[in-house]
Amino acid sequence: MKNKILPLVLVVILCLQLTNCNNDDDGLRLLDPVAVTVPVIKSKSEVRNSIAIKSAQATNSDGKIYVYNDLLFYIAQNSGIHIFDNQNPASPQNLVFIQLEGVHDISIKDNILYADNFMDLVVFDISNISNIELVNVEEDLLVYYADYPEDVTYYSNEYPASEDDFIASFTTIYMERSEAENTQNIYQWNLELFNGVFDGATAVNDIGTGGSYAKFQIYGNALYTLEDYQLNTFDISDYNSISLTSEIWLGGWFGGAVLETTFIQKDYLFIGATNGMHIVGLQDEFNPTYTSSFTHATGCDPVVVDLDTAYITVRGGNDCGAIEDQINVIDISDITMPVEYSTYFLSNPYGLGIKNDVLYVCNDEGIQVFDAQNPNQLVLENTYQGTSKDVIPLSTHLIAVGENVIYQYNYADNFGLELISTVQF
């Protein structure tokens, strides 16, 4: 028995010694797995050739919602566009799927749908929903940067090998720390070296309506799109020949905030940014001009507007900033000098919508319904539990979107909502 135990003890001691030898100065073992962020490189030509109109299908991708006449669009991020017949909101019918790998936002005017496909602006004729046509691809008209992950420890600086290739996204792989540190083109993350490198509108004419996270807006014959720090304006008078009329680095107007959302009322574009709400005049639709700003500490904030009042949800924490979660109610009766009416504190707010002095706000508790008749004092009336992240309050009913789910509600008395349908992907 002793002869069997002694070799086992020696093996354990040897293993402990080897483990200690593999400790680095920071206490991590060289054999421990570490996360390495690597770029996902795609071919532009393959992405363009993959555009297709397909039969209705489910999705497992988070998305946004958009409404055009009796059609409901679910914009599945980096996947495609699901189109529903929503004439009867109690029973929406899944009609068709536009396969569009690089889509994040859409806007529609006069049955012409504009969408991003990574760096391309693509145009579809949806006048016959049974026979959707791809009518134009404006190549390399948009600037696209993949979102860089927040929790990077090691990264690969692999770059596209040709002009036809680009970085579509980033993914994480795991390898032993010693391997990561000895592999060419893999480095330990240093934020100081790379900081900043990777970085629902009112319907006008026959134009659709997006939620409060929309980054595409149409006004007249102009299409506005947001990049992180830039507002682009395109002339879509002829959808077969779209031209860029202005590109404005908005840091020159109101600092280096990241631009997040858009909303149009009358001839003004309201931009939600990480440092506040900024108002841009569209009197010359192809040459937007700065009007005014309402600023706050750094936070994520979509904005919606109703007549002389703007509503902003401001979310702090994580990458959004240190500001306390809140709703800001802003007096914009003097469009050149926005002034805060009031602030309402709530947990982790996301998208929002306003209709008939009733404010709908999505947060961790669900959809919260506020009496907004007095902008100096919002009154919480009801909370409807769920996973909604954004809403579109139509004149007929309210549509909400969560991760792979769409809810539709009828308006009820006493600030109520009655669920009439759920589309679960």
Side-chain angles (χ1 to χ4, degrees):
M1 189 70 171
K2 291 182 179 178
N3 291 335
K4 293 182 179 179
I5 293 176
L6 185 57
L8 179 60
V9 172
L10 292 174
V11 169
V12 171
I13 293 173
L14 180 60
C15 287
L16 289 173
Q17 290 176 338
L18 289 175
T19 301
N20 289 335
C21 289
N22 282 317
N23 280 354
D24 206 347
D25 292 339
D26 57 9
L28 296 175
R29 291 188 293 270
L30 293 176
L31 298 181
D32 281 351
V34 294
V36 181
T37 298
V38 297
V40 176
I41 296 176
K42 293 184 177 292
S43 158
K44 292 182 182 180
S45 55
E46 289 181 3
V47 167
R48 289 162 181 158
N49 291 334
S50 70
I51 300 174
I53 312 300
K54 296 190 171 184
S55 58
Q57 56 188 268
T59 179
N60 59 1
S61 176
D62 195 12
K64 301 179 181 180
I65 46 176
Y66 190 91
V67 175
Y68 180 74
N69 297 332
D70 290 327
L71 297 175
L72 172 60
F73 298 78
Y74 181 83
I75 310 155
Q77 305 293 279
N78 293 309
S79 174
I81 305 166
H82 302 260
I83 305 177
F84 295 81
D85 180 344
N86 204 37
Q87 293 183 69
N88 178 10
S91 182
Q93 303 298 307
N94 199 346
L95 298 177
V96 65
F97 175 67
I98 301 176
Q99 180 174 291
L100 199 60
E101 188 176 351
V103 68
H104 299 88
D105 283 272
I106 69 170
S107 200
I108 302 172
K109 178 185 178 183
D110 297 334
N111 287 312
I112 301 299
L113 184 154
Y114 303 85
D116 57 333
N117 188 30
F118 295 118
M119 72 296 299
D120 296 343
L121 181 64
V122 295
V123 186
F124 298 89
D125 183 343
I126 61 169
S127 55
N128 181 355
I129 207 66
S130 299
N131 186 29
I132 295 174
E133 295 182 70
L134 174 64
V135 293
N136 188 16
V137 176
E138 296 283 357
E139 296 183 357
D140 299 310
L141 195 62
L142 306 175
V143 175
Y144 173 77
Y145 294 105
D147 290 333
Y148 209 71
E150 300 170 31
D151 54 349
V152 177
T153 55
Y154 288 82
Y155 69 97
S156 167
N157 70 341
E158 180 183 1
Y159 294 102
S162 71
E163 291 185 359
D164 187 56
D165 294 335
F166 69 103
I167 297 175
S169 61
F170 293 91
T171 190
T172 300
I173 62 174
Y174 293 87
M175 61 176 61
E176 292 179 357
R177 187 178 180 217
S178 59
E179 181 185 0
E181 293 184 348
N182 289 285
T183 299
Q184 188 176 7
N185 296 328
I186 292 181
Y187 303 93
Q188 192 163 8
W189 178 254
N190 182 339
L191 181 62
E192 293 180 358
L193 293 177
F194 295 91
N195 189 28
V197 175
F198 300 106
D199 286 315
T202 303
V204 181
N205 299 326
D206 192 16
I207 297 173
T209 303
S212 63
Y213 280 98
K215 289 191 173 184
F216 274 31
Q217 296 288 355
I218 292 176
Y219 178 75
N221 288 316
L223 169 67
Y224 305 101
T225 69
L226 286 186
E227 296 172 19
D228 281 352
Y229 303 99
Q230 184 168 297
L231 172 66
N232 298 317
T233 306
F234 300 95
D235 184 347
I236 57 171
S237 303
D238 179 359
Y239 62 77
N240 287 303
S241 179
I242 298 171
S243 59
L244 176 68
T245 63
S246 73
E247 47 185 350
I248 303 169
W249 182 68
L250 297 187
W253 284 349
F254 43 74
V258 176
L259 311 177
E260 298 178 314
T261 66
T262 58
F263 190 97
I264 286 181
Q265 178 176 264
K266 298 180 180 177
D267 52 355
Y268 288 97
L269 176 69
F270 296 79
I271 298 175
T274 52
N275 70 343
M277 173 191 73
H278 307 286
I279 305 172
V280 175
L282 306 179
Q283 290 75 29
D284 179 348
E285 63 192 79
F286 297 120
N287 292 286
T289 56
Y290 175 69
T291 302
S292 61
S293 294
F294 169 82
T295 59
H296 54 59
T298 302
C300 298
D301 63 342
V303 55
V304 296
V305 180
D306 183 39
L307 301 177
D308 290 334
T309 307
Y311 302 85
I312 309 169
T313 55
V314 187
R315 187 174 75 259
N318 298 325
D319 59 330
C320 288
I323 192 171
E324 189 172 358
D325 297 341
Q326 58 192 259
I327 304 169
N328 296 146
V329 185
I330 312 300
D331 178 5
I332 56 168
S333 53
D334 181 351
I335 201 71
T336 66
M337 190 176 297
V339 178
E340 185 173 8
Y341 272 127
S342 60
T343 294
Y344 187 99
F345 295 96
L346 76 171
S347 174
N348 211 21
Y350 288 89
L352 73 167
I354 180 75
K355 197 73 175 178
N356 298 328
D357 293 327
V358 180
L359 180 68
Y360 304 90
V361 179
C362 300
N363 73 343
D364 284 347
E365 297 182 26
I367 300 175
Q368 295 195 318
V369 184
F370 293 85
D371 180 351
Q373 294 181 75
N374 179 4
N376 288 301
Q377 185 177 6
L378 296 180
V379 178
L380 177 62
E381 298 287 352
N382 288 308
T383 297
Y384 295 88
Q385 294 185 347
T387 58
S388 301
K389 292 296 180 68
D390 201 9
V391 291
I392 298 179
L394 303 173
S395 58
T396 53
H397 66 291
L398 181 132
I399 305 176
V401 62
E403 187 171 349
N404 297 317
V405 63
I406 299 172
Y407 304 105
Q408 300 196 72
Y409 299 88
N410 275 332
Y411 302 118
D413 294 336
N414 301 316
F415 302 91
L417 293 174
E418 296 176 346
L419 182 66
I420 55 176
S421 68
T422 300
V423 178
Q424 185 74 58
F425 296 109

